Amino acid sequence: MSVLPTDNPAARRRGSGASGLFAVPALLMFVVFALVPLAGAVVLSFTHWDGLGAITWQGLSNWTRVLHDPLTGNALLLTVKIMVVSWVVQTPISLLLGVFTAGTQRYRAVLAALYFVPLLLSSAAVAIAFKALLDPNFGIGGAPGLHALAQNWLGDPDLVLYVVIFVIAWQFVPFHTLLYQAAVRQIPDSLYEAATIDGAGRLQQFWYITLPQLRNTVITSSTLMITGSLTYFDVVFVLTAGGPGNSTRLLPVDMYLTGFQANDMGDASVLAVILVVIGLALAFVLTRFSGFSRMRSEQEGL
């Protein structure tokens, strides 16, 4: 007996989907390298361990101490600051550069290649290079005609956070530019041709065609940018090690300093669990309320 094709789209999707077995290797990797270490951090957060001696049970005292510690509040505030300011700085720059580099002119391809150079460099190399450039005595401020730049960029508590944000933007804007460039190149030319016939200028085409077509990319880029802000450690640690004072002691840096300089793995584990909870909450909010989970192609019906 032959099976007649169904008209139910949901049934067709279920029948044509890939086998769940393909997800098994990734699932195993996730369990081994994500869930097991996370479970270990949760258990350690209720203990006292200096990294060498015996582990002793502490109950909730680690959580009480860390949650009432002003350092934790300061680290949370700095993390939120760097998250918000980084998004405000990186999103428009990445969007405009992505639109610019999506052009077909040859000089734009050359410029695009230069823009993407930071993607090839490690975070530690970027931080070391900027640390040398921003040195108040031997950095760029010592060059002829650039004495106005001879400031203590990394030693001034009022400036250092914005310097860190600048360095992070320099490193990560090319990645988000690449996302926008690819998305812009997917927009059908027919939309721009119709708009040109209707008399729309470049600015109107950008506002009424490009931006709406990039909605899904903006959400994707913003999600990566915001959740990625919780992982800024290597650049910040190499540049400032959390200083001067606690001016750049973000949550990841606070966790590292607590665990590996104060030798308090229990408190460091509490901070690690807080980081994970914040990351999961942000990812949930962004996917739930931004329409990320309901994304459909903007080109359907064209």
Side-chain angles (χ1 to χ4, degrees):
M1 185 176 71
S2 62
V3 179
L4 295 176
T6 175
D7 293 332
N8 187 341
R12 283 203 303 273
R13 281 198 297 273
R14 283 196 298 271
S16 61
S19 170
L21 290 176
F22 289 115
V24 171
L27 187 61
L28 284 176
M29 296 282 284
F30 180 72
V31 169
V32 172
F33 293 107
L35 292 186
V36 171
L38 177 60
V42 171
V43 173
L44 274 179
S45 69
F46 297 101
T47 66
H48 174 72
W49 187 39
D50 62 4
L52 294 174
I55 300 175
T56 57
W57 187 256
Q58 293 288 308
L60 292 173
S61 61
N62 289 343
W63 283 87
T64 305
R65 183 170 53 255
V66 169
L67 292 177
H68 288 86
D69 190 343
L71 270 180
T72 306
N74 179 65
L76 274 171
L77 180 62
L78 289 175
T79 303
V80 172
K81 270 187 184 178
I82 209 166
M83 188 184 298
V84 172
V85 178
S86 291
W87 184 86
V88 170
V89 170
Q90 292 184 39
T91 297
I93 295 175
S94 304
L95 175 59
L96 293 175
L97 282 178
V99 172
F100 175 75
T101 56
T104 54
Q105 295 89 339
R106 184 172 298 177
Y107 74 92
R108 295 194 187 193
V110 174
L111 289 176
L114 293 176
Y115 290 147
F116 299 143
V117 165
L119 281 177
L120 306 176
L121 306 176
S122 72
S123 298
V126 169
I128 291 171
F130 271 97
K131 194 170 185 177
L133 279 174
L134 298 175
D135 187 284
N137 299 312
F138 308 105
I140 193 171
L146 297 176
H147 299 301
L149 297 177
Q151 301 198 30
N152 194 5
W153 298 102
L154 299 176
D156 187 336
D158 297 326
L159 281 177
V160 65
L161 186 65
Y162 300 101
V163 174
V164 168
I165 290 170
F166 170 79
V167 175
I168 289 172
W170 187 87
Q171 184 184 13
F172 289 105
V173 158
F175 170 73
H176 297 281
T177 297
L178 202 58
L179 294 181
Y180 286 114
Q181 183 196 53
V184 170
R185 287 181 173 172
Q186 297 299 315
I187 300 175
D189 292 337
S190 58
L191 293 178
Y192 294 104
E193 291 167 1
T196 303
I197 292 172
D198 290 340
R202 289 292 181 89
L203 188 59
Q204 289 173 309
Q205 291 179 18
F206 173 78
W207 191 255
Y208 292 108
I209 297 176
T210 306
L211 272 184
Q213 292 290 318
L214 294 179
R215 174 178 175 274
N216 292 340
T217 308
V218 171
I219 294 172
T220 303
S221 171
S222 299
T223 303
L224 293 173
M225 214 176 282
I226 291 173
T227 54
S229 300
L230 297 173
T231 65
Y232 293 154
F233 167 74
D234 35 15
V235 170
V236 180
F237 186 74
V238 174
L239 271 176
T240 67
N246 296 314
S247 302
T248 55
R249 190 168 172 139
L250 312 179
L251 264 183
V253 179
D254 189 28
M255 178 185 67
Y256 175 83
L257 294 177
T258 302
F260 294 97
Q261 287 196 356
N263 296 321
D264 191 340
M265 298 299 173
D267 286 4
S269 298
V270 173
L271 293 168
V273 175
I274 291 173
L275 264 175
V276 172
V277 170
I278 293 174
L280 290 176
L282 283 172
F284 173 77
V285 169
L286 287 168
T287 53
R288 178 70 178 81
F289 296 105
S290 66
F292 185 88
S293 58
R294 302 186 298 277
M295 278 188 184
R296 296 289 184 271
S297 171
E298 297 287 351
Q299 298 178 29
E300 285 187 15
L302 289 175

